[in-house]
Amino acid sequence: MTQEEKFRYQATIFLRRITEARRFFDKHKPSIGFVGEYYLRRSFHALMPQSYGVCQGFVTYNGELSRQCDIIIYVKGKDSIHKSYGELKIINSESVVTVIEVKSSITKETYQSTLKAFEQLYALRVTNCFLFVYGQLSQRKMRNWLYSYKYHNICTVQYIVSDSYLYDWSDMEWLPISVLTLESNKYFKLGRISADNGDWIGYTALNTKDSKNASISCLQEFFSDIVMLINDSTMSMDIEKFSIKDGIELFRI
């Protein structure tokens, strides 16, 4: 089985399991989120080399503690785990490779709260964050919520504005590398965008031609990008796969 086939297989298995769970827990919505996180961690356990661990918990750096993280992928080592409380672990920041936040549904408030959590993780030396959303998240909403988000830069409060020259890429490395929204069949990936009005940093949208298996394709791409990051592979953008037209321009290069 090739690497691409492994990603697609895990995406297919995950969607089958979560569909079954949704039917079973139809009247108990909070359990669906719990089960989804569990199966996502199982998927990454299956895809990661044995030298990596997958858990839920917290990240610590210099005595500071992050908010609770849904999925932490870290390098196993003697000093990786600061404290362990069963399935909940506190991981030393130096060992953390990536953090994935999982949302059953999302609003402007929960979206911007997640951005704040990523910004705080960046202060703890964690730069590779991803967002997984089960529910609907349109490109328009994601754009508007990004543009209206307040963040702290030194001692001032700034805003993300699409046509602004105020932002350097180095100041915004806490933004999620990608955002998967499963029910919307959308996968947004952060990178360089070449548009008619110049080159930008922003999000492009996965162009899934096979609408029947769009969720599988988006989840496959999500798995692929995270595993490639873990393996320190080059995360090059396949222009054929992604749509600039449906993307979100953030700041000009």
Side-chain angles (χ1 to χ4, degrees), residues 1-12 47 220:
M1 189 182 289
T2 66
Q3 189 81 307
E4 185 174 349
E5 288 170 340
K6 288 179 182 177
F7 296 141
R8 194 162 190 85
Y9 173 75
Q10 286 299 327
T12 304
L47 291 169
Q220 175 186 347

Side-chain angles (χ1 to χ4, degrees), residues 3-253:
Q3 189 81 307
E4 185 174 349
E5 288 170 340
K6 288 179 182 177
F7 296 141
R8 194 162 190 85
Y9 173 75
Q10 286 299 327
T12 304
I13 293 297
F14 173 83
L15 286 172
R16 187 182 302 159
R17 286 169 173 165
I18 199 64
T19 300
E20 180 184 278
R22 279 178 168 173
R23 286 198 297 265
F24 191 78
F25 292 113
D26 181 52
K27 296 181 180 179
H28 200 280
K29 302 296 184 184
S31 295
I32 297 174
F34 175 81
V35 171
E37 287 178 30
Y38 168 74
Y39 282 131
L40 268 181
R41 286 193 291 270
R42 280 189 59 176
S43 296
F44 283 112
H45 271 299
L47 291 169
M48 294 295 152
Q50 291 186 351
S51 55
Y52 292 89
V54 183
C55 70
Q56 59 178 314
F58 301 84
V59 176
T60 184
Y61 178 78
N62 272 357
E64 296 293 325
L65 200 66
S66 71
R67 301 183 191 182
Q68 185 170 343
C69 304
D70 297 323
I71 300 176
I72 303 171
I73 299 175
Y74 63 96
V75 180
K76 291 180 180 177
K78 184 177 67 174
D79 300 319
S80 300
I81 301 174
H82 182 74
K83 293 283 185 181
S84 181
Y85 302 94
E87 294 185 359
L88 199 68
K89 303 185 189 305
I90 301 175
I91 307 296
N92 287 314
S93 175
E94 296 84 353
S95 299
V96 175
V97 181
T98 191
V99 169
I100 304 163
E101 283 300 296
V102 182
K103 300 296 180 187
S104 296
S105 60
I106 199 156
T107 63
K108 178 180 179 180
E109 288 71 26
T110 55
Y111 183 86
Q112 295 191 343
S113 174
T114 301
L115 292 182
K116 177 57 67 179
F118 290 162
E119 193 178 351
Q120 291 172 346
L121 280 165
Y122 183 69
L124 301 179
R125 304 297 191 268
V126 176
T127 56
N128 300 317
C129 295
F130 294 80
L131 175 58
F132 181 104
V133 181
Y134 288 106
Q136 297 281 338
L137 176 57
S138 67
Q139 181 255 21
R140 180 182 59 81
K141 283 184 178 179
M142 183 174 164
R143 180 195 298 270
N144 291 341
W145 296 348
L146 269 170
Y147 288 174
S148 64
Y149 176 68
K150 298 178 183 179
Y151 78 99
H152 291 276
N153 183 12
I154 309 176
C155 296
T156 61
V157 176
Q158 304 275 4
Y159 293 82
I160 296 176
V161 185
S162 63
D163 58 354
S164 175
Y165 293 92
L166 297 175
Y167 307 102
D168 294 325
W169 171 233
S170 59
D171 293 335
M172 309 299 292
E173 289 180 329
W174 47 265
L175 283 172
I177 291 175
S178 69
V179 179
L180 171 65
T181 168
L182 207 58
E183 286 188 4
S184 299
N185 295 327
K186 290 287 186 182
Y187 181 60
F188 298 97
K189 183 173 178 177
L190 189 63
R192 182 170 177 151
I193 298 175
S194 293
D196 293 338
N197 56 349
D199 291 335
W200 297 72
I201 293 293
Y203 288 94
T204 56
L206 185 66
N207 182 15
T208 51
K209 297 182 175 63
D210 183 1
S211 58
K212 181 181 178 182
N213 295 310
S215 293
I216 293 176
S217 296
C218 290
L219 188 53
Q220 175 186 347
E221 200 74 20
F222 181 74
F223 285 155
S224 172
D225 280 343
I226 293 173
V227 173
M228 285 175 68
L229 178 69
I230 298 298
N231 292 333
D232 200 24
S233 302
T234 303
M235 294 178 65
S236 58
M237 179 85 66
D238 186 345
I239 300 301
E240 295 295 323
K241 286 185 177 181
F242 289 87
S243 167
I244 294 172
K245 180 183 71 173
D246 296 326
I248 301 170
E249 298 168 346
L250 292 180
F251 18 82
R252 198 188 300 272
I253 298 174

